[in-house]
Amino acid sequence: MKLLVINGSPRGNRSNTYKLTKAFLSGMKENADAAGEAFELVEIQVNQLKIHPCLGCFSCWNQTPGNCCIHDDMEEVIQKLLWADITIWSFPLYYFTVPGGLKNLIDRQLPMQLPFMTENEKQTGNGSHPPRYDMTGKKTVVISTCGFYTAEGNYDGIYSLFDHTCGRDGYTTIFCGQGELFRIPDLSQRTDQYLGIVRKAGMEYFSGRILPETVAELSQLLYPRETFEAWADLSWGIDRQSGEKESDALTFTRQMAVLYRKESYPGRDQVLEMYYTDIDECYQIVMGKEGSRVVTDGSMTATTRIETPLSV
Ligand SMILES: Cc1cc2nc3c(=O)[nH]c(=O)nc-3n(C[C@H](O)[C@H](O)[C@H](O)COP(=O)(O)O)c2cc1C
């Protein structure tokens, strides 16, 4: 099995999405190894390639059929696309579509098509170009994270792109909201659990298809919308009223506070006092029946006090 991963995140290896892609690959590889099937993997980091934008000259159709007039890294990418049995497109959602660098790569696939007008009923039924090369049996997986709380409703542009190019049932997707949480070590309990499901999806995909139960698990939010959005707003470290940068210790304390689950209310308010020894700052989290709040003037009587350097 020949696998091509196209990582279209400008962050390269530090991409959130790439974490999902690696989990998916590890699941596929485990089942490939168990089945004794060869697993050849080539990864393309789009941010390390020189791929110029398409010039729109159509010379790849009428002057030098099959060959672009721009000679850059795209020539190699086309060879890899033709080589692979399965291509995994891995990218963040940018303005409800793909990042610019990846869009250049997508546009530059034009030499892979013939110019003639045709209809491919498996696609969307509103015009198509025939492939220049035999792509029969090749498969496509699309993996993406986005920044809003849910992937639902945010991927219309991506679905449209792949519906037109691969056909409506011609590709497999994993789309995940709250993508920035994958880079927060403190939240790894939840994100690792999700990556475990992605890994399972990879194993199932190798064996034929991702099972409906797994698809349902993948569509679960990482955190409830309210918790995520409160946490995300705080993550910028900016005071909501003034718009100015606030103390890192205060931001951190507020982020801890939004993770409080009021269902665990024990019958009376608890006050967690955080004293950051290295910067001499103290904040209190009041955890009550209706939720939590942060007190900055130290006016509450602490139930529990934690003394720690902020760096810890
Ligand atoms: C320029 C830009 C545009 C973005 N547009 C969207 C968007 O339209 N919808 C969304 O939910 N998230 C959007 N995001 C957030 C990213 O999709 C999100 O942070 C993602 O997890 C980054 O993944 P990566 O680490 O793999 O690059 C955008 C981020 C940037 C920098």
Side-chain angles (χ1 to χ4, degrees), residues 20 26 31-32 129 132 151 158 179 198 217 232 312:
L20 274 66
S26 88
N31 272 9
H129 297 296
R132 185 179 297 277
I158 302 297
V198 177
E217 283 182 274
V312 173

Side-chain angles (χ1 to χ4, degrees), residues 5 59 131:
V5 173
S59 64

Side-chain angles (χ1 to χ4, degrees), residues 17-55:
T17 315
Y18 203 46
K19 292 192 169 91
L20 274 66
T21 302
K22 281 193 282 192
F24 189 81
L25 285 170
S26 88
M28 281 192 78
K29 186 168 182 333
E30 180 168 330
N31 272 9
D33 288 348
E37 190 167 326
F39 190 84
E40 288 178 72
L41 174 65
V42 169
E43 296 180 83
I44 289 178
Q45 305 289 343
V46 176
N47 71 340
Q48 287 173 19
L49 300 184
K50 273 215 164 35
I51 300 179
H52 295 280
C54 174
L55 297 172

Side-chain angles (χ1 to χ4, degrees), residues 249-265:
L250 180 54
T251 298
F252 175 69
T253 312
R254 290 195 203 283
Q255 285 185 308
M256 277 204 296
V258 298
L259 294 176
Y260 165 69
R261 289 166 43 248
K262 60 184 179 203
E263 305 79 60
S264 63
Y265 183 68

Side-chain angles (χ1 to χ4, degrees), residues 9 11 15-17 92-96 145-148 179-180:
S9 170
R11 291 171 170 168
S15 149
N16 303 325
T17 315
L93 191 68
Y94 272 18
Y95 278 86
F96 306 98
T145 64
C146 69
F148 289 133
E180 286 304 312

Side-chain angles (χ1 to χ4, degrees), residues 185-186 252 256 274-278 306-312:
D186 294 338
F252 175 69
M256 277 204 296
M274 298 295 298
Y275 177 63
Y276 301 103
T277 53
D278 49 350
I306 294 178
E307 295 187 5
T308 175
L310 178 64
S311 54
V312 173

